Amino acid sequence: MFTYNNPVKIHFGQGVFARLNEFINEYDYESMIVVASNSQVESGVVNLIKSDLGDKVKAVVSGIEPNPTTQNVEAITQEMYAHNAHAVIAVGGGSAMDASKAAAAAYMQGISAVDLLDHDDFTKALPVIAIPTTSGSASEVTPTGVISDKENELKIPLIGAGLYPKAAIVDPELTLTCTQSVTAISGIDVICHALDALGAMKNNPVSDSLAVRAARLAFDNLETAYNEPSNREARRNMSLGSMLAGLAFSQTGTSGSHAMSYYLTSHYDVPHGEACAFSLDEWFVINSKVNPELNQHAMDIGFDSAETLGQAFNDLKKKVGLRSTLAELEIERSDIDKIAEESLKSANMKNNIAQLEKPEVAGLLKRK
Ligand SMILES: [Zn+2]
């Protein structure tokens, strides 16, 4: 038995961003806060939103850090209180969307951003309209958000049905301005989401189908999107792949590669997608030993087996300029034990179908 439920209303396609006002008019939002990454302020997208929605937009909050902090969240909730907000429009990559979701929950529940760190009820939040401008995080269709506790060097995942955006407006045209590095780092995360969903305890036939299609789209299009930033077909396929992977892991959660990524990001500043991709090949092969069906999924994605998929994944990383070894990440081999220990503490490690002990996790790292 399984259940699939994703409540996000999705508007997908080239040019859908121009219909923002029409989509927003389905709701009675008279007071909205826009949360935007700096690049969307600079590119003029925020101005387009303001001219489209007029005085319904009460404030714009930008300057969201790549790993959004409690201070970023607090800046958003302050504007929500000041303007009695009905909704928040998040435009940008995962950081803008995650910070908006966290603020939407804090505001609705009357708690501070810092209180979110050990809060576990995310059933209620202010409605979020998510407009992704990168292909990767898929935060526009998931009930999760990650915020950083800088003081304690922790990345805290927030999970709850209230964190699903009300609507996602996914326009691949908005990704045409992504830099090569953003394209690579966020694009590789699409494959991490898809394969983590396949290797999750909570996988089901619907999430598997979405994940396989998502992985195939990313394997087939990431290199082109990286080398030819204005290739509309590649950009469209990456946006679609990202969203489908999100629809998969919105049900299953993420598993091994994400569980191992948090410490790499919070302690060594490795960007999220690159941190997940660092160990993904290993997790997929390890998981295929527990569930041989993963070899069939690898074939459906376009490879002979889980192993060949893992090799192809590492080749793809090189082609898009991502690092693959501890040495390249400038991490000392003497840190391996600590990384293994911290990775095992992540909640999503329990969601990985292969349950490894610390020496095996350390062994995985030693091969890097
Ligand atoms: Zn991710």
Side-chain angles (χ1 to χ4, degrees):
M1 180 268 165
F2 67 88
T3 304
Y4 185 96
N5 176 31
N6 186 308
V8 183
K9 183 160 187 175
I10 296 165
H11 307 280
F12 182 95
Q14 277 146 330
V16 289
F17 173 64
R19 296 172 60 190
L20 174 65
N21 194 20
E22 174 192 332
F23 301 140
I24 296 267
N25 274 336
E26 291 178 26
Y27 316 104
D28 294 326
Y29 305 148
E30 295 301 324
S31 172
M32 287 177 278
I33 308 300
V34 172
V35 176
S37 56
N38 287 349
S39 57
Q40 298 314 311
V41 177
E42 286 151 21
S43 69
V45 167
V46 169
N47 275 338
L48 285 174
I49 294 175
K50 287 201 293 195
S51 63
D52 221 19
L53 303 181
D55 61 8
K56 290 180 182 172
V57 173
K58 303 298 182 195
V60 176
V61 182
S62 57
I64 310 297
E65 293 171 57
N67 297 300
T69 60
T70 49
Q71 288 88 340
N72 293 145
V73 174
E74 205 67 53
I76 303 167
T77 53
Q78 274 173 16
E79 295 294 350
M80 288 171 168
Y81 283 112
H83 300 283
N84 215 343
H86 297 158
V88 54
I89 297 178
V91 56
S95 313
M97 292 189 278
D98 284 6
S100 300
K101 289 176 174 186
Y107 174 71
M108 203 67 165
Q109 303 196 20
I111 60 173
S112 74
V114 174
D115 289 340
L116 288 172
L117 298 173
D118 48 18
H119 192 68
D120 56 9
D121 175 9
F122 292 97
T123 50
K124 275 195 232 98
L126 202 67
V128 175
I129 306 293
I131 309 175
T133 59
T134 62
S135 296
S137 80
S139 189
E140 71 273 15
V141 291
T142 68
T144 53
V146 180
I147 55 171
S148 287
D149 174 6
K150 271 204 164 161
E151 256 168 58
N152 299 305
E153 283 191 350
L154 289 173
K155 286 192 80 178
I156 311 286
L158 317 177
I159 305 170
L163 299 182
Y164 274 115
K166 187 83 179 166
I169 298 168
V170 188
D171 188 339
E173 300 281 305
L174 295 176
T175 68
L176 289 170
T177 49
C178 284
T179 61
Q180 275 197 312
S181 132
V182 168
T183 300
I185 290 167
S186 54
I188 209 76
D189 202 18
V190 174
I191 302 178
C192 299
H193 291 152
L195 302 193
D196 264 20
L198 293 173
M201 291 276 193
K202 290 184 261 181
N203 79 308
N204 67 53
V206 179
S207 65
D208 286 353
S209 306
L210 291 162
V212 165
R213 174 100 161 99
R216 191 168 185 144
L217 282 164
F219 267 112
D220 289 349
N221 291 279
L222 179 56
E223 196 185 343
T224 308
Y226 176 81
N227 288 320
E228 302 167 34
S230 52
N231 186 314
R232 291 189 144 79
E233 194 192 339
R235 291 295 196 182
R236 178 204 176 265
N237 288 336
M238 286 306 298
S239 283
L240 183 61
S242 172
M243 189 185 73
L244 296 179
L247 290 172
F249 88 87
S250 71
Q251 309 299 302
T252 62
T254 54
S255 53
S257 87
H258 276 71
M260 186 165 263
S261 78
Y262 299 132
Y263 188 70
L264 298 177
T265 297
S266 60
H267 199 72
Y268 304 100
D269 262 341
V270 183
H272 174 76
E274 193 173 37
C276 298
F278 176 70
S279 63
L280 180 74
D281 58 317
E282 289 279 347
W283 287 110
F284 192 68
V285 172
I286 290 165
N287 285 337
S288 73
K289 310 264 192 277
V290 175
N291 179 7
E293 215 181 308
L294 264 62
N295 283 304
Q296 182 59 50
H297 294 321
M299 285 187 243
D300 293 340
I301 294 167
F303 303 97
D304 292 339
S305 64
E307 274 91 358
T308 45
L309 182 150
Q311 283 153 14
F313 180 71
N314 289 335
D315 291 344
L316 177 61
K317 273 166 54 176
K318 279 202 191 76
K319 287 177 186 159
V320 299
L322 298 176
R323 300 167 290 178
S324 288
T325 63
L326 287 167
E328 284 172 332
L329 294 176
E330 294 176 22
I331 296 175
E332 302 288 342
R333 300 194 82 78
S334 53
D335 290 3
I336 283 178
D337 258 21
K338 176 73 175 161
I339 301 171
E341 194 180 306
E342 293 296 324
S343 303
L344 282 166
K345 284 184 196 163
S346 300
N348 41 359
M349 195 61 96
K350 294 182 187 66
N351 187 36
N352 195 74
I353 54 174
Q355 288 291 301
L356 303 192
E357 300 293 333
K358 190 175 149 192
E360 296 165 297
V361 178
L364 175 171
L365 287 161
K366 283 177 189 154
R367 292 193 285 275
K368 289 284 173 189

